[in-house]
């Protein structure tokens, strides 16, 4: 029988110990990232013991934390996905409606609410990290891949130390044996969060590398382990990446300005090669 885990927690909440209530409160407020947290990570965040987490799961009728995580994962699998959001956007629009204007207006609202002093400070710190790093690895999977690819493509116009991590043939983790301590990971992850991306972030974190997260929540799996988090707001109706793309555009320009003459020289040389070899129509 399917378990409504939140209803279960609520029904037992008044009878839970103080420690169990701490765990319950964290799970209810941050359930989207619980499937990505090991029991050790959860205990570090909540300040309770691993035994308490195990007993909390058992109190709710699960065999242990892993069983409890699986139930949370089932909930996430049923929540809104990009395609469901798109379907909802289509279903709430009418045939005669100006969908173009509606979408543009939504994106304007997102952009107008994006900027903040905290975002700007994170932005400047990210530029500085990119400047100081030997190599820049970029990852983003599923719908986040488009954003990751865009950043990789633009930075490669004038930098030769950029590598886009993608899942293909072979084990991508084998290539990480070449990662040095002064290399940087930029991880893109938006709801729903990719477990594979979280695993890559975990690897770089344990390796002692700096991490920049471009995400939609401070409590996302990549943000929790990042040194710098750039919050790019998204819209639940149209599932727009306009905020992330705008921030990344500014990031690329700012990085290019670090050595303006060299940047322009490299870009002009690449343009010349493209023209010489009929790359463009």
């Amino acid at each position: 029988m399917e378990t409504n885990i939140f209803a279960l927690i609520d029904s037992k909440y008044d009878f839970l110990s103080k420690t169990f209530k701490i765990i319950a409160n964290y799970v209810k407020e941050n359930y989207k990232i619980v499937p990505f947290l090991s029991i050790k990570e959860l205990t570090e965040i909540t300040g309770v013991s691993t035994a308490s987490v195990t007993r909390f799961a058992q109190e709710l009728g699960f065999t242990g934390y892993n069983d409890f995580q699986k139930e949370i994962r089932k909930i996430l699998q049923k929540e809104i996905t990009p395609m469901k959001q798109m379907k909802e956007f289509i279903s709430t629009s009418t045939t005669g409606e100006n969908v173009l204007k509606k979408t543009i207006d939504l994106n304007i609202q997102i952009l107008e609410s994006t900027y903040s002093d905290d975002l700007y400070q994170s932005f400047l710190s990210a530029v500085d990290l990119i400047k100081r790093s030997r190599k820049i690895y970029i990852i983003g999977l599923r719908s986040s891949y488009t954003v990751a690819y865009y950043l990789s493509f633009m930075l490669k116009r004038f930098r030769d130390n950029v590598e886009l991590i993608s899942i293909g043939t072979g084990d991508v983790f084998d290539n990480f044996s070449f990662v040095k301590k002064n290399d940087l990971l930029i991880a893109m992850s938006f709801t729903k969060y990719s477990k594979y991306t979280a695993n890559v972030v975990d690897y770089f974190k344990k390796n002692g590398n700096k991490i920049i997260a471009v995400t939609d929540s401070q409590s996302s799996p990549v943000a929790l382990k990042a040194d710098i988090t750039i919050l790019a707001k998204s819209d639940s109706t149209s599932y727009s990446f306009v905020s992330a793309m705008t921030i990344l555009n500014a990031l690329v320009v700012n990085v290019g300005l670090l050595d303006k003459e060299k940047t322009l020289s490299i870009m002009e040389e690449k343009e010349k090669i493209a023209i010489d070899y009929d790359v463009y129509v």
Side-chain angles (χ1 to χ4, degrees), residues 77-277:
Q77 288 170 351
K78 293 178 181 178
E79 286 202 337
I80 293 177
T81 65
M83 286 305 101
K84 284 184 179 178
Q85 288 173 319
M86 186 62 69
K87 284 166 66 178
E88 182 180 341
F89 189 53
I90 292 171
S91 66
T92 56
S93 300
T94 59
T95 305
E97 187 176 4
N98 190 334
V99 175
L100 174 60
K101 187 176 186 306
K102 181 179 179 181
T103 303
I104 290 173
D105 287 343
L106 281 171
N107 285 331
I108 289 173
Q109 290 172 24
I110 295 168
L111 287 174
E112 286 179 339
S113 63
T114 293
Y115 185 84
S116 69
D117 291 337
D118 286 341
L119 173 62
Y120 185 55
Q121 291 306 313
S122 297
F123 175 87
L124 293 179
S125 298
V127 172
D128 183 60
L129 255 187
I130 292 172
K131 175 185 176 182
R132 294 188 286 108
S133 298
R134 183 192 76 97
K135 188 168 183 176
I136 302 159
Y137 290 90
I138 300 173
I139 186 169
L141 301 176
R142 298 183 67 80
S143 58
S144 301
Y145 177 79
T146 56
V147 186
Y149 177 82
Y150 179 76
L151 177 62
S152 170
F153 178 84
M154 295 302 288
L155 284 177
K156 283 180 178 179
R157 296 311 91 198
F158 56 88
R159 295 186 71 103
D160 61 0
N161 64 338
V162 178
E163 181 175 334
L164 178 65
I165 300 171
S166 57
I167 300 176
T169 56
D171 188 349
V172 71
F173 284 92
D174 288 342
N175 298 326
F176 291 165
S177 58
F178 300 104
V179 174
K180 306 299 182 185
K181 294 294 182 183
N182 56 339
D183 291 345
L184 169 70
L185 176 68
I186 304 178
M188 319 280 177
S189 190
F190 300 88
T191 309
K192 296 168 134 187
Y193 307 115
S194 162
K195 187 173 181 64
Y196 196 96
T197 299
N199 288 341
V200 170
V201 168
D202 188 52
Y203 176 89
F204 274 79
K205 187 69 175 178
K206 289 177 179 177
N207 196 53
N209 298 97
K210 295 294 184 181
I211 299 166
I212 297 173
V214 181
T215 184
D216 54 5
S217 171
Q218 288 284 9
S219 62
S220 73
V222 296
L224 287 175
K225 297 181 180 179
D227 298 279
I228 299 169
T229 298
I230 293 177
L231 280 183
K233 296 183 179 181
S234 60
D235 177 69
S236 61
T237 306
S238 60
Y239 201 76
S240 171
F241 285 126
V242 66
S243 176
M245 298 295 273
T246 302
I247 294 169
L248 294 180
N249 271 334
L251 186 68
V252 170
V253 172
N254 227 122
V255 171
L257 287 172
L258 294 174
D259 192 337
K260 188 175 182 178
E261 289 186 8
K262 183 179 179 181
T263 296
L264 292 175
S265 175
I266 293 172
M267 292 180 74
E268 286 171 6
E269 179 62 25
K270 288 195 173 185
E271 282 286 319
K272 184 178 181 302
I273 293 171
I275 292 170
D276 289 345
Y277 284 88

